[in-house]
Amino acid sequence: METVKLSEIIEEIRKVLDEKDMLREEALKITREIVRLSGDSIKALHRGEVELAHGRIEEAGKRIEELNEKLTAHPDLYFTGYVQNAHQEFVEAVLFYSYITGSEFPSPEELGVPEAHYLLGIGDFIGELRRHFLLLLMDGRIGEAQRVYEAMNLVYEELMTLEYPKGLVNIRQKQDQARYIIERTLEDLTRAKLTKSLEEKLNNALKT
């Protein structure tokens, strides 16, 4: 049996880890771009700039493809926190864009992200809908705000049908956050409707 020197083994390990370290740095850069582009898209949607949002999502989608190509042979790098976070941000942006434009929600396969990461993005999507709800409420558009709340509730109900261990997907945390968001949103909606009702009664009383 041929003896292999420890230094040779270490040198081979060094080559593998050097490659992984280089890929990790590249992946970090790409994930930061995905997060930035996804965030820009969401901000644009809240401003009503749908075309700009679409462009940002398309750019982010290209980065997702690039990330997948680079990390296909490196699952230890692919299933890391920073990649998961980028996927969540992307899913959140795409789902919010789909809601605003009235288009169908794409599947995890269509977006090129793992199912578990997609589910976590759904949880974040509920939070973004709340922000949209609040902006409508501040603008006095209570009817539209109520429809957003109803959509939030439907998403929440679907999310609550999932029950998996934390080691597979940490969905429980998203469910707890979503429950809190839904409760607060219903309180805000109820308060706004009561206030509007009181204002209408007061105005009618003043006219008589």
Side-chain angles (χ1 to χ4, degrees), residues 34-35 37-43 45 53 56-57 60 86-100 111 121 124-125 128:
I34 293 169
V35 170
L37 289 165
S38 299
D40 286 349
S41 172
I42 289 172
K43 291 175 185 175
L45 287 168
R56 293 291 187 270
I57 285 174
H87 285 162
Q88 283 182 229
E89 294 287 334
F90 179 61
V91 170
E92 177 187 6
V94 172
L95 294 183
F96 188 50
Y97 174 85
S98 298
Y99 174 79
I100 293 296
L111 296 185
D124 294 338
F125 170 50
E128 209 53 59

Side-chain angles (χ1 to χ4, degrees), residues 23-42:
L23 282 171
R24 176 181 174 277
E25 290 299 320
E26 292 177 0
L28 280 169
K29 181 180 178 182
I30 295 171
T31 54
R32 283 194 291 266
E33 291 176 354
I34 293 169
V35 170
R36 177 182 60 80
L37 289 165
S38 299
D40 286 349
S41 172
I42 289 172

Side-chain angles (χ1 to χ4, degrees), residues 124-144:
D124 294 338
F125 170 50
I126 292 176
E128 209 53 59
L129 285 176
R130 170 168 170 77
R131 183 180 173 189
H132 182 50
F133 164 89
L134 290 173
L135 290 172
L136 289 171
L137 212 59
M138 290 171 62
D139 202 30
R141 296 152 70 181
I142 296 178
E144 292 177 57

Side-chain angles (χ1 to χ4, degrees), residues 79 84 116-117 120 163-172:
F79 291 99
Q84 175 183 294
H117 298 179
L120 297 175
E163 188 173 348
Y164 296 103
K166 185 177 179 180
L168 186 61
V169 54
N170 190 16
I171 196 65
R172 180 62 62 82

